[in-house]
Amino acid sequence: MSSLFNDSGQKPVYYSNASLYMKKLENKVAVVTGASKGIGASIAKHFAAEGVKVVINYASSKEGADKVVKAITDNGGTAIAVQADVSNEADVIRLFKETENAFGTLDILVNNAVSQGYAPIEQISIEDFHQSFNVNVLGSILTIQSALKLFGNKGGNIINISSGASKYPLQNASLYSATKAALDAFTIALSKELGVKNVRINSILPGATETEGATSAGVTAGSEYEKMFVEKTPLGRRGQPADIAKAVVFLASDDAAWITGEQISVSGGMYGF
Ligand SMILES: NC(=O)c1ccc[n+]([C@@H]2O[C@H](COP(=O)([O-])OP(=O)(O)OC[C@H]3O[C@@H](n4cnc5c(N)ncnc54)[C@H](OP(=O)(O)O)[C@@H]3O)[C@@H](O)[C@H]2O)c1
């Protein structure tokens, strides 16, 4: 039987025997925005596997959100689905009220919901601008404001799902890239404001990841886009939602207790084009 030991080398932390495995986030409560599919759904499932009670937020895909809840509860976990448009203040207030009603508290917020908004500069409309910034930036401001109230004096943990495009903006994705750069600026500034409240906040920057959103943006299996992304990725494949979810679990856990204000690439080594 294998074992892992703590820093002192004295006590086993967990064993290969699954019944003795200590879940990293037992009884924590998390809100994951945009969790009806893709990366958000995988984060929710990985959280639940570590003992988190998860609020699955979605905008319109009730069926997708219900499937994620079922996958979690079928495995003995706890989850509820709550519809809310994160760019709508009343919706966000209701999302966190329903979280409080269901679980009484909040420990973790993951800002994952996205409006993609890929277009060359000539085609970006004022409506596109507001849609992208409202969901990707204002939505995160609103959720963070509500989360802080529920975190209370015990503090909490915020993970913003940014993008490699925040540091290495993509051609024909200037608007999307700009929203993610803005999100990273919030991560850094808020780490300085919120450390005193025992709140950690970090950004994860996924590389190209195989999701429904990526597919509808044209990055389909076998496409030229996919080949281009894989060629630029040292580890030689596209990311999977689970690759991102595992990094989120790490950041949410005490293993990352000394990490805040960071932008962490989870991209198989892909940096820019
Ligand atoms: N996939 C990639 O290659 C990649 C690369 C870098 C970064 N990322 C980032 O990773 C995150 C997840 O991406 P993904 O590819 O998994 O996305 P996705 O498959 O398009 O899923 C997007 C999710 O956001 C939700 N959503 C959209 N607008 C919303 C709103 N106004 N309020 C609440 N929820 C809303 C959707 O809900 P409905 O289904 O109900 O509409 C859905 O659950 C995003 O922040 C994205 O920028 C992805």
Side-chain angles (χ1 to χ4, degrees):
M1 182 164 67
S2 66
S3 63
L4 286 182
F5 291 81
N6 65 10
D7 285 344
S8 69
Q10 301 298 315
K11 290 182 184 169
V13 176
Y14 61 77
Y15 297 85
S16 58
N17 182 336
S19 66
L20 292 178
Y21 174 71
M22 290 168 61
K23 293 181 178 176
K24 278 183 192 298
L25 295 165
E26 193 77 84
N27 286 323
K28 299 283 186 194
V29 176
V31 168
V32 183
T33 70
S36 58
K37 54 171 77 114
I39 291 170
S42 186
I43 292 169
K45 290 176 195 167
H46 279 76
F47 270 166
E50 292 292 347
V52 179
K53 299 169 190 165
V54 195
V55 178
I56 311 292
N57 161 251
Y58 66 100
S60 57
S61 305
K62 182 177 185 323
E63 199 184 330
D66 287 344
K67 262 192 205 162
V68 178
V69 170
K70 186 168 182 326
I72 289 172
T73 52
D74 282 355
N75 276 302
T78 305
I80 58 168
V82 179
Q83 188 283 331
D85 173 353
V86 294
S87 67
N88 178 303
E89 187 178 18
D91 277 17
V92 172
I93 289 169
R94 179 175 46 75
L95 167 64
F96 285 84
K97 191 73 208 152
E98 289 191 30
T99 301
E100 187 176 18
N101 289 345
F103 302 126
T105 188
L106 181 69
D107 304 286
I108 304 160
L109 166 67
V110 181
N111 282 315
N112 170 80
V114 67
S115 171
Q116 305 277 3
Y118 299 138
I121 185 68
E122 295 85 352
Q123 291 172 23
I124 297 173
S125 66
I126 291 171
E127 290 73 28
D128 293 336
F129 172 87
H130 288 303
Q131 169 69 14
S132 289
F133 269 88
N134 282 352
V135 175
N136 302 359
V137 185
L138 176 62
S140 300
I141 294 172
L142 294 173
T143 56
I144 289 169
Q145 288 174 334
S146 280
L148 289 174
K149 291 180 191 148
L150 269 187
F151 286 165
N153 292 333
K154 72 177 171 20
N157 206 314
I158 300 167
I159 295 143
N160 290 327
I161 306 301
S162 175
S163 167
S166 72
K167 287 195 173 172
Y168 304 97
L170 296 167
Q171 187 181 4
N172 295 333
S174 54
L175 181 56
Y176 171 76
S177 304
T179 65
K180 295 300 188 176
L183 189 60
D184 285 354
F186 271 96
T187 296
I188 298 166
L190 295 186
S191 70
K192 296 172 184 176
E193 281 179 45
L194 301 179
V196 71
K197 296 184 177 180
N198 199 24
V199 173
R200 294 192 292 109
I201 176 166
N202 292 286
S203 287
I204 283 195
L205 282 53
T209 310
E210 203 171 335
T211 66
E212 290 87 332
T215 300
S216 58
V219 193
T220 49
S223 67
E224 285 307 309
Y225 282 125
E226 184 184 61
K227 283 182 197 150
M228 181 180 75
F229 283 129
V230 171
E231 270 169 24
K232 297 283 180 190
T233 303
L235 291 182
R237 63 171 173 84
R238 252 210 297 171
Q240 294 299 314
D243 294 317
I244 313 304
K246 287 172 192 170
V248 172
V249 167
F250 164 70
L251 278 180
S253 77
D254 281 347
D255 291 344
W258 198 232
I259 300 176
T260 195
E262 299 293 349
Q263 295 85 62
I264 299 174
S265 292
V266 183
S267 66
M270 184 180 79
Y271 284 98
F273 286 93

